[in-house]
Amino acid sequence: LGAAYAATITTNQMVMEGAPSWITTRKVQSITEKIQRDLEWDIRRIQVKWYLSPAEFENVHHLDASVLAVTKSDDTSVHIGPRVDQSIFDATCGHELVHVVLLQ
């Protein structure tokens, strides 16, 4: 990963590897707290991984190129694709966390 995507963010609910530099721990906590509050569920810690390569991301989800992010049911991990940017991160992350709650 490039230096702009080298951060690892760790909270009680997730370990996010390869996070872009514009994501802060506080931002992740804010999104997570909203989902937990709205769905009345405490998320157990999950792994979140960012992908810079569309091909590498597609190898993970085996769907089409329109997919922005996926939550894998076998291990409840979240995988975020290269098209997710600052303008759609909150909604995308929140959406995937709803899947996590349903799986947990």
Side-chain angles (χ1 to χ4, degrees):
L1 292 176
Y5 284 81
T8 296
I9 294 175
T10 303
T11 69
N12 287 337
Q13 295 79 18
M14 71 176 67
V15 175
M16 181 181 287
E17 297 176 30
S21 59
W22 47 263
I23 295 181
T24 64
T25 300
R26 181 66 202 128
K27 175 180 266 310
V28 170
Q29 287 175 324
S30 175
I31 295 165
T32 304
E33 288 167 5
K34 179 182 180 348
I35 298 302
Q36 289 182 133
R37 182 177 57 250
D38 290 352
L39 297 179
E40 298 179 354
W41 184 266
D42 290 333
I43 296 170
R44 293 184 300 276
R45 186 174 280 162
I46 60 168
Q47 296 292 314
V48 179
K49 183 173 179 186
W50 281 82
Y51 294 85
L52 296 179
S53 159
E56 185 181 357
F57 180 55
E58 287 179 26
N59 276 342
V60 171
H61 62 72
H62 306 290
L63 301 168
D64 63 55
S66 68
V67 175
L68 296 173
V70 296
T71 300
K72 297 189 77 170
S73 60
D74 60 342
D75 63 0
T76 322
S77 60
V78 173
H79 302 265
I80 302 175
R83 294 185 18 237
V84 175
D85 62 18
Q86 202 166 356
S87 68
I88 61 172
F89 172 73
D90 292 16
T92 304
C93 183
H95 176 90
E96 295 308 318
L97 290 177
V98 170
H99 291 298
V100 168
V101 168
L102 293 172
L103 289 167
Q104 287 185 353

